Amino acid sequence: MPGTVKRIGRDRYRLRLSPEEMTLLRSLPDQLRIVLADAGTGDESPWDVPDDLSKPSPGEGQLGPLTDPDRGGAGTGDEASEDRAARDPILNRLFPQAYLDAEDVERDEEFHRLMRNDLLKEKLTNLDVVTDTLERGTMSLRRWSVEINEDEASAWLGALNDLRLALGVRLGITEDFDGDIDPADPRAPALHVLSYLGWLEENLVEALSSGW
């Protein structure tokens, strides 16, 4: 049974997950950190997803802060960083154009020059919140549970949205995904993960919008 998010107070929510969901949600943030740091090198960073939610997905090692100039990673604000963003479709999806008209190209470039680092830090912070809350939860009767506050719930929402968008790009999903999956599709395992992320995001939105 998939996990649930429930409001339990004015600023409190309870998140419950199965061990299989825990395994998946522990691996995905590390993979997105790698994409944010290194996807612009020209190689598409692989997304490791389980064949189903009962099989663990191998996690990648967590990278250090992307704004560290010694790493040369994304988000330094230099021309190399901008070139990487231009080449990688995930970064284009996660950092979309602010101005769409052709005559506003320079305004759009200026916006990203000024705001890209802040946007990147926000995305990384959201991923850190997911990782941290997963580690502080407790297991009881094969269900993992943790209480989170409003800010943490919002961070979860942002992280889930970024994970869903990034995986959608890797799978070539250009429109809203209706959840209809052909078992013969070689992408089926990853499509199930995409469907799950969308479901959990909707569950969290409902909890955040519910009254107390």
Side-chain angles (χ1 to χ4, degrees):
M1 183 177 70
T4 58
V5 186
K6 182 179 180 180
R7 182 189 287 271
I8 58 173
R10 187 176 300 278
D11 185 36
R12 305 298 298 175
Y13 303 84
R14 179 180 291 120
L15 177 61
R16 286 179 174 167
L17 301 169
S18 68
E20 294 77 22
E21 290 172 285
M22 281 283 293
T23 297
L24 178 68
L25 292 171
R26 277 174 169 155
S27 72
L28 292 180
D30 279 350
Q31 294 180 52
L32 186 54
R33 289 186 187 98
I34 291 171
V35 171
L36 288 170
D38 297 333
T41 61
D43 298 324
E44 289 195 351
S45 302
W47 279 78
D48 296 319
V49 297
D51 292 337
D52 56 52
L53 290 185
S54 66
K55 297 182 180 179
S57 171
E60 300 287 347
Q62 180 174 339
L63 296 177
L66 301 190
T67 54
D68 182 351
D70 293 334
R71 295 190 60 86
T76 60
D78 57 13
E79 292 183 0
S81 175
E82 295 175 4
D83 289 342
R84 283 193 294 273
R87 289 199 303 268
D88 191 271
I90 282 185
L91 295 184
N92 289 338
R93 188 71 177 91
L94 296 182
F95 301 94
Q97 289 179 260
Y99 302 93
L100 300 180
D101 293 338
E103 60 268 22
D104 288 328
V105 171
E106 291 186 0
R107 293 178 65 190
D108 187 70
E109 290 176 349
E110 179 68 6
F111 172 83
H112 282 280
R113 186 184 69 82
L114 295 174
M115 300 300 299
R116 180 177 170 79
N117 282 358
D118 289 341
L119 294 172
L120 179 57
K121 289 177 182 177
E122 180 181 355
K123 293 179 185 300
L124 291 171
T125 297
N126 290 342
L127 293 173
D128 288 342
V129 170
V130 170
T131 300
D132 292 344
T133 54
L134 287 173
E135 292 306 315
R136 78 166 189 252
T138 59
M139 184 71 71
S140 176
L141 299 176
R142 296 282 297 169
R143 301 293 288 178
W144 175 92
S145 178
V146 70
E147 292 186 11
I148 58 179
N149 61 32
E150 190 93 21
D151 289 340
E152 289 170 329
S154 296
W156 265 81
L157 186 61
L160 287 172
N161 189 60
D162 284 344
L163 289 166
R164 182 179 58 80
L165 291 176
L167 184 55
V169 170
R170 282 289 182 257
L171 294 172
I173 304 297
T174 57
E175 300 178 356
D176 289 341
F177 178 53
D178 60 10
D180 187 16
I181 301 172
D182 181 356
D185 190 330
R187 304 174 302 163
L191 288 171
H192 281 293
V193 173
L194 181 63
S195 179
Y196 167 74
L197 291 174
W199 178 90
L200 187 58
E201 184 178 353
E202 289 180 7
N203 197 227
L204 184 55
V205 169
E206 290 177 2
L208 283 166
S209 60
S210 65
W212 178 259

